Amino acid sequence: MDPRFAELLRPFLKLAGPGEITITPDTDLRRLGVDSMQAIELLFSLEDTFGIALPDEEMNDATFATAGSLWQAVSRQLPDRAAEASA
């Protein structure tokens, strides 16, 4: 995962408790407080930060379930990943 991605997630993890939390691909976003309204805010932040647009089919509970599943959806839209896929 990109370090910018992990830092962008931190403010949305309201139930993470005090101190630093290590964000791993298995980090459960729902358990740590990302509800549907926060998911929309998070989506806008991700799209702005990475200059991408997540396709409609990625807008589901499975995508926003864990940090890893969300990062996979984001990384598939990154320009260098798109170039790899077309090569």
Side-chain angles (χ1 to χ4, degrees), residues 34-47:
V34 178
D35 61 22
S36 58
M37 292 302 290
Q38 285 186 314
I40 293 168
E41 291 178 35
L42 177 55
L43 170 66
F44 291 144
S45 293
L46 289 167
E47 289 182 335

Side-chain angles (χ1 to χ4, degrees), residues 34-70:
V34 178
D35 61 22
S36 58
M37 292 302 290
Q38 285 186 314
I40 293 168
E41 291 178 35
L42 177 55
L43 170 66
F44 291 144
S45 293
L46 289 167
E47 289 182 335
D48 288 345
T49 298
F50 291 99
I52 61 166
L54 287 181
D56 289 343
E57 59 269 12
E58 298 285 0
M59 305 301 170
N60 57 56
D61 286 337
T63 297
F64 287 85
T66 66
S69 60
L70 183 55

